[in-house]
Amino acid sequence: MADHNAPIKRRKLSDEVQERLLALIRSQNLKPGALLPSERELMAEYQVGRPAIREAMQNLHRLGLIEIKHGERPRISEPSLRALVEPMALGMHHLLTHSASTMDHLKEARVLFEVQMVRIAADKRTDTDLQALEDVLTAQAQLRSHSAGFLRHDGLFHSRIAAIGGNPLFASISSAMFDWLAQFHVELVRKPGLEQLTLDEHRAILDAIEAQDADAAEKAMSDHLTRANKLYQQDHARET
């Protein structure tokens, strides 16, 4: 039940501007590429200063709803799943840094998600899919002494598997989970000195996908991810 005695909170001007801009976008059914009014026009219409307009615009930009380029009027963005996921990164950083349970939940969710993705991949893969995975694995092997490149191709290998299902959300979710771990707990996705083990495990996953053996693919993926989790737990135990 609402507390009718609670003080009424004053809203920031930028919040009000943002709400009105969202209402404008909805009411006019603005499509990707459509231009929004200029800062000057919005200042005159809403009777507010430039800082409130700019803060509202930046908020919408961070949400992936509009594009802002210097010297141009803002325009409606092209829809992008990555633009939807990326703004979550800072919030995930905070959670993963300060909540051990969130880290455990993310590791569990990633294993459950990836084993389902690899089962779908084993069922649906085409020769083109297999070649794309082979190319990623070959490039990763060549980058074993290049930490950043090796890690980037590690994530790409997993997102390419997720993409085989044909649902673009799968690939975006796979990339997001990997990126969160790579940015904030890189030890969960890369262990220096164990590059060849990672490559061998990726090879086992790819071989099972090629053989269209969903059970073998699931086991190879589960072993791969839980191995990484166990290595993390061992290192964490030594540090504490």
Side-chain angles (χ1 to χ4, degrees):
M1 180 180 294
D3 184 355
H4 297 290
N5 295 318
I8 296 175
K9 295 181 179 179
R10 295 183 61 185
R11 298 186 68 190
K12 293 172 60 179
L13 279 176
S14 60
D15 291 340
E16 181 68 28
V17 172
Q18 179 177 329
E19 186 173 298
R20 292 194 183 192
L21 287 171
L22 287 170
L24 173 69
I25 293 169
R26 288 192 294 267
S27 65
Q28 296 190 10
N29 194 26
L30 296 180
K31 305 296 184 185
L35 294 172
L36 289 174
S38 67
E39 284 186 1
R40 190 178 299 277
E41 290 170 331
L42 291 172
M43 290 167 59
E45 181 175 353
Y46 298 155
Q47 294 295 294
V48 297
R50 180 171 277 109
I53 300 295
R54 288 189 172 177
E55 184 174 350
M57 290 292 190
Q58 288 296 330
N59 287 341
L60 294 177
H61 176 66
R62 281 191 289 269
L63 291 170
L65 299 180
I66 67 171
E67 296 177 7
I68 299 176
K69 294 183 180 180
H70 182 69
E72 299 181 12
R73 287 165 56 188
R75 65 179 66 238
I76 306 299
S77 298
E78 291 290 336
S80 166
L81 291 172
R82 178 160 288 277
L84 176 67
V85 171
E86 284 180 347
M88 298 171 61
L90 288 178
M92 285 301 300
H93 183 197
H94 181 73
L95 283 170
L96 295 175
T97 300
H98 301 291
S99 172
S101 62
T102 298
M103 172 58 71
D104 291 337
H105 294 157
L106 178 58
K107 289 187 293 185
E108 180 183 25
R110 186 178 180 228
V111 173
L112 291 173
F113 176 79
E114 293 283 356
V115 297
Q116 287 304 310
M117 292 301 96
V118 82
R119 290 190 69 90
I120 293 172
D123 180 56
K124 292 188 173 183
R125 99 292 184 277
T126 65
D127 289 344
T128 300
D129 296 324
L130 293 173
Q131 187 58 57
L133 288 172
E134 190 69 52
D135 291 345
V136 172
L137 192 53
T138 298
Q140 187 181 21
Q142 294 171 347
L143 291 165
R144 71 184 72 201
S145 61
H146 186 279
S147 178
F150 188 90
L151 185 64
R152 184 171 61 255
H153 281 75
D154 195 337
L156 183 58
F157 182 80
H158 286 273
S159 65
R160 284 282 172 83
I161 289 173
I164 292 173
N167 186 329
L169 273 171
F170 292 163
S172 293
I173 292 170
S174 177
S175 292
M177 288 193 289
F178 188 91
D179 289 347
W180 292 336
L181 294 173
Q183 289 180 53
F184 312 128
H185 284 279
V186 68
E187 70 277 5
L188 264 179
V189 290
R190 182 166 194 271
K191 304 293 294 184
L194 296 180
E195 289 81 7
Q196 188 57 51
L197 177 57
T198 295
L199 292 169
D200 290 344
E201 290 174 345
H202 281 185
R203 170 55 62 189
I205 293 168
L206 177 51
D207 287 348
I209 292 173
E210 183 174 12
Q212 294 189 298
D213 188 336
D215 291 339
E218 176 179 340
K219 184 179 187 307
M221 179 65 79
S222 180
D223 289 349
H224 172 54
L225 296 179
T226 55
R227 181 270 298 177
N229 289 349
K230 289 175 182 177
L231 287 172
Y232 165 75
Q233 292 166 359
Q234 291 167 6
D235 277 4
H236 184 68
R238 284 195 292 268
E239 291 170 2
T240 56

